Amino acid sequence: MLSLLWIIIALPLLGFLLLAVSGKKLSRAVVGTVGVGTIGLSAILTIIIGISFISGLSHTKVYVQTLWQWFYVEGFSPSIAFHLDSLSMTFIFVITFVGFLIHLYSAEFMIDDEGYSRFFAYMNLFIASMLILVLADNLLLLYLGWEGVGLCSYLLIGFWYKDPANGTAARKAFIVTRIGDTAMAIGLFYLVMKFNTLNISTILLSAQHLWPVGSTMAFTASILLLGGALGKSAQLPLQTWLPDAMAGPSPVSALIHAATMVTAGVYLIARTNVLFILSPPVQTIVAVIGTLTLLLAGFSALTQYDIKRVLAYSTISQIGYMFLALGVGAWSAAVFHFMIHAFFKALLFLGAGAVIISLHHEHNMFKMGGLRKEMPVTFYTFLIGSASLAALPLVTAGFYSKDEIIWYSWSSAGGNPWLWIGAIMGAFITAIYTFRMVFITFYGEVKMKPEKKLSNLILIPLIVLAVLSIISGFIQTPSTLGGVSIFSSFLTSTLPEVIENHFSEGLEILFQVITAVLAISGIFIAYLFYVKRRPSERSHSAAVNFLLSGWAFDKIYDIIFVKPVVWMAEIDRHDFIDYFYTFIAWLTGLGHVVLKQTQTGKLRWYAMGLVIGAILTISIVLLS
Amino acid sequence: MNNVPIMAGLILTGILFMIGVTGLLIRRNLVFILMSIEIMLNAAGMAFIVAASKWMQPDGQVMFIFILAMAAAEVAVGLALILQIFHKFKTLDADKLNNMKG
Amino acid sequence: MDVLFYISAGVAIGSSVMAITRKNAVHALLYLVVSLLSAAFIFYLFGAPFIAALEVIIYAGAIMVLFIFVVMMLNLGKDSERQEQDWMKPKIWIGPSFLVGILFIEFIIMLSGTGGSYFQFVKVSPREVGTSLFTSYVLGVEMTAMLLMSGIVGAYHIGRRKKKMRHRYLEGSDE
């Protein structure tokens, strides 16, 4: 059963090839069936393989399937091989299942678009690349998937390419992640230099034996890999591309920029956890970056007026939580939050997409209102998703995952009171901005009436994801609330256990109460500001504009990086290096002009030439 | 009676040839240029005769016959060309006929 | 004999110099004829009477006459004489004369290597020339014949005056 692993990747790839080659000639129905069907089959196959894997977990922790050897250069021979363990099992489950729901949704969402087959081709290619990324046995194959998802992200952000602003957003995303990719590539070169292999298990084993804790080698390797992770996951300082990436269609934002691609950084760090454990300073950096990012993005999300940008900043913030968890050593907590976040964030994006197309592509929340009665299913599912995001206590999955991270930020060996304060402040702000979004969009009086009646293909994924946003939390509850640890024991076969300093149970319960109170009071504050005294349009004050622009990062980068390069290009407008080559050409031209003077066309001149030639020839003969 | 050195004969041909070259270089009229070419041909032929006389063999004279024939043909064609040039360009100035410059 | 040689050499050189410096084309051609005649005498002195005869008949008698006919046909006139006067300024012939002088000096230097023997003045009869011509050099004779043929055809073709093609509408309008 496990040997069917490669089919999970082959199916979307096949779908991509089919649609890329002949998509334009096929009808909408066929394209939709192929595009959604391949992912559906992959999802079913994933579930089957998952059941088979989990039931055999006691004796097979890791399953490796090698397809062929990629190349062989001086002893370095990566192979096309897939590595299935509990970590990658989690990821492929989320990718295929959430991916299937999103594909189903977009079969209806994109039905009027003329690039229908192109859309599904790109989405299938994306799923295939992401699966390669998480199933890769060696870092080179992982990098292949990494670049593949970057490419698909670019293609899909700029999907409506006729508007140049979309192209600019796509290029910005690609270039900013490129900076991270370059750091990661250097990291891969470093690892090849040290170990002559990129096989992940081999590297982790060798590093554990050969590199002492805190050595510069571990530091170099892990910080370079961290660079790559920061780019892809849109953390500080490379977070500027994600809000602009909302230029793509909503299903794209849901799949790529919420559930899967942006979590590739989390996957990378979790996968190479040994390197990070061997280098405590880098782990601290990860945790600090995570905390700063979650606060920065959270504050920015408070002021956004475009509904998708709120969700974009929210994504940056929640991935900050995952980085925080990775930084303090709570590996399985990070992965758990990833899974829960994938469910509710995809739900929120799909819901936002439903609202947007119902209101004729209106993105500004302040132009919406009162949709709670007009679009009931959307409203209720959106509400459940928001509750999960805000970590409404006890009933939502988000509570359990976020609470675990907040607890470990205090109690784990790498934890710190400052990190804990940042985490709970983030939770408070999350609740505020989330429900601000809900209240402005769905409450109040109706400003625009939705026209489209949403079909089942849109509503069913919303409902499924809403259900998951509630019940999936119950597989991992803290010891004070039942102590269910299905998820963490599933992951201990791959990821190390979190190292905790022991605190009393009472402290734990106190912290949980604090978190719960903060969440509920955040919702209440949002209620006060946005339902009781309802602003009719967004505020334009300077402080709001500063937060709105993401703490002016774009402007800072423009001044530091873009302007000097443009200035240098302007100076070199006429290309100094080229002057040397044009000089040679000019010299030849000069020779031509000079020698042209000898071609007078006059007979006597040529006769004189003959005479002079004769004189010279004879004198040469005589003198030698 | 036999005191003329061979050198004198050759120097004579040299002087005649140089006169021909000078005429070619300093005159602008095409007719004079052609005339100077005839002087040069004659001088070259004379050199052959001098050589024949030294070795007392008829080969030099045979050579001179060939040169003579060639000069005749060349003069005929050259004069025909001069006629055409005169009719076309209305001038016999060699310096004016410089369309092949550059 | 020696004296005769030196005198005719002087005449040849003198008349050649005169030939290249005249303004009138016909004068120059006549001087050239004189030069050719003196050359013919020199050939006779060197023991080549046949060649001397040929020189007079063909070179002076046919080629120069052809020249004179063509020059007269060109009808150059007084204007061209004035023009030639203009063109004979010293600055025109100083440079070429200097170059030619250098060439002559080199010529002398080249010749100085050869030994200084003397003329025998022995006559090489036409019979020997004819024999040599038609046995050893018979191919050359054939090629010369072809050359003369091509000369005739070429001269005829190039010398032809082509009638200007005018549209028949304009035919009668001007002569």
Side-chain angles (χ1 to χ4, degrees), chain B residues 1 27 29 38 42 59 84, chain C residues 2 20 84 137 158 160:
Chain B
M1 193 170 108
R27 301 302 303 243
N29 197 326
E38 296 309 312
N42 185 43
D59 298 62
Q84 279 291 4
Chain C
D2 312 343
I20 64 172
E84 297 284 343
Y137 294 100
I158 293 173
R160 215 157 48 123

Side-chain angles (χ1 to χ4, degrees), chain A residues 576-597:
Chain A
F576 294 129
I577 305 290
D578 209 36
Y579 273 156
F580 175 65
Y581 297 104
T582 51
F583 171 70
I584 295 178
W586 174 82
L587 212 58
T588 313
L590 187 67
H592 162 72
V593 166
V594 166
L595 289 174
K596 205 170 78 144
Q597 307 301 318

Side-chain angles (χ1 to χ4, degrees), chain B residues 1-43 45-47 49-84 86-87 91-96, chain C residues 1-2 5-6 9 12-13 16-17 19-25 28-29 32 35-36 39 42-43 46-51 54-55 58-59 63-64 66-67 70-71 73-74 76 80 84 87-88 92-93 96-97 99-100 103-104 107-108 111-112 114-122 124-125 128-129 132-133 137 140-141 144 147-148 150-151 154-155 157-162:
Chain B
M1 193 170 108
N2 297 349
N3 276 343
V4 182
I6 301 285
M7 279 299 280
L10 288 176
I11 290 177
L12 170 64
T13 60
I15 293 176
L16 282 178
F17 189 82
M18 295 308 150
I19 291 174
V21 173
T22 314
L24 176 62
L25 289 177
I26 66 176
R27 301 302 303 243
R28 273 166 87 157
N29 197 326
L30 278 177
V31 173
F32 284 92
I33 291 178
L34 216 49
M35 206 190 307
S36 313
I37 292 175
E38 296 309 312
I39 300 176
M40 283 195 273
L41 280 169
N42 185 43
M46 191 186 290
I49 302 295
V50 164
S53 170
K54 173 179 193 271
W55 297 104
M56 291 177 283
Q57 285 181 348
D59 298 62
Q61 300 187 25
V62 166
M63 227 26 244
F64 185 82
I65 293 177
F66 290 152
I67 291 178
L68 203 54
M70 185 229 86
E74 173 231 329
V75 161
V77 175
L79 287 173
L81 280 171
I82 285 184
L83 280 177
Q84 279 291 4
F86 187 69
H87 284 306
T91 176
L92 280 177
D93 183 357
D95 284 352
K96 290 268 188 313
Chain C
M1 285 293 215
D2 312 343
F5 169 71
Y6 286 115
I13 292 175
S16 295
V17 171
I20 64 172
T21 54
R22 298 298 99 202
K23 297 173 296 200
N24 193 327
L29 283 167
L32 189 53
S35 166
L36 291 173
I42 293 175
F43 292 161
F46 281 169
F50 181 57
I51 296 301
L54 274 185
E55 173 96 350
I58 297 179
Y59 224 130
I63 295 175
M64 285 303 128
L66 179 60
F67 246 108
V70 170
V71 166
M73 220 161 68
L74 290 176
L76 294 172
S80 80
E84 297 284 343
W87 289 343
M88 269 257 252
I92 303 273
W93 48 259
S97 312
L99 283 174
V100 169
L103 192 58
F104 184 59
F107 182 70
I108 303 282
L111 283 179
S112 59
T114 64
S117 45
Y118 291 87
F119 275 113
Q120 308 301 89
F121 291 141
V122 171
V124 178
S125 69
E128 284 172 46
V129 174
S132 166
L133 193 58
Y137 294 100
V141 172
T144 309
L147 175 67
L148 287 170
S150 65
H157 180 76
I158 293 173
R160 215 157 48 123
R161 285 242 265 152
K162 296 184 191 52

Side-chain angles (χ1 to χ4, degrees), chain A residues 592 596 599-609 611, chain B residues 21 24-28 30 33 95 97-98 100-102:
Chain A
H592 162 72
K596 205 170 78 144
Q599 296 273 18
T600 51
K602 291 186 192 164
L603 183 64
R604 297 189 304 140
W605 178 274
Y606 295 147
M608 193 178 75
V611 171
Chain B
V21 173
L24 176 62
L25 289 177
I26 66 176
R27 301 302 303 243
R28 273 166 87 157
L30 278 177
I33 291 178
D95 284 352
L97 306 170
N98 61 355
M100 293 283 274
K101 70 173 180 286

Side-chain angles (χ1 to χ4, degrees), chain A residues 234-425:
Chain A
Q235 298 295 289
L236 228 60
L238 298 171
Q239 88 284 11
T240 51
W241 63 272
L242 193 50
D244 287 342
M246 295 299 118
S250 299
V252 169
S253 309
L255 184 59
I256 300 185
H257 306 121
T260 41
M261 184 184 96
V262 291
T263 56
V266 177
Y267 173 77
L268 180 67
I269 298 181
R271 179 55 87 199
T272 57
N273 54 73
V274 171
L275 294 176
F276 285 87
I277 293 176
L278 286 175
S279 165
V282 179
Q283 262 202 304
T284 319
I285 294 176
V286 174
V288 168
I289 288 181
T291 319
L292 288 175
T293 311
L294 74 90
L295 285 173
L296 187 148
F299 275 109
S300 286
L302 277 176
T303 58
Q304 301 294 324
Y305 56 89
D306 180 336
I307 191 172
K308 282 178 73 174
R309 280 180 94 101
V310 178
L311 294 173
Y313 278 107
S314 167
T315 308
I316 300 177
S317 182
Q318 296 302 307
I319 298 179
Y321 270 103
M322 296 180 217
F323 268 63
L324 171 60
L326 292 171
V328 298
W331 306 96
S332 60
V335 180
F336 186 48
H337 192 58
F338 147 73
M339 189 171 81
I340 307 298
H341 171 262
F343 294 144
F344 64 68
K345 199 41 76 62
L347 167 61
L348 287 172
F349 266 109
L350 295 183
V355 167
I356 288 173
I357 53 160
S358 299
L359 297 180
H360 300 292
H361 294 282
E362 176 60 62
H363 284 227
N364 190 342
M365 288 194 294
F366 286 95
K367 296 212 172 69
M368 309 174 189
L371 294 175
R372 142 167 89 111
K373 303 268 177 28
E374 307 286 333
M375 306 169 66
V377 180
T378 314
F379 169 64
Y380 283 113
T381 53
F382 200 87
L383 191 63
I384 293 174
S386 308
S388 208
L389 173 56
L392 201 64
L394 295 176
V395 287
T396 56
F399 170 71
Y400 293 106
S401 65
K402 194 181 286 186
D403 195 71
E404 205 182 3
I405 295 180
I406 295 177
W407 172 243
Y408 284 136
S409 72
W410 174 273
S411 76
S412 84
N416 193 304
W418 290 105
L419 298 175
W420 177 80
I421 291 177
I424 56 169
M425 243 177 35

Side-chain angles (χ1 to χ4, degrees), chain C residues 65-84:
Chain C
V65 169
L66 179 60
F67 246 108
I68 291 175
F69 282 166
V70 170
V71 166
M72 285 178 176
M73 220 161 68
L74 290 176
N75 210 359
L76 294 172
K78 276 267 184 275
D79 291 332
S80 80
E81 280 190 32
R82 236 179 292 127
Q83 213 174 34
E84 297 284 343

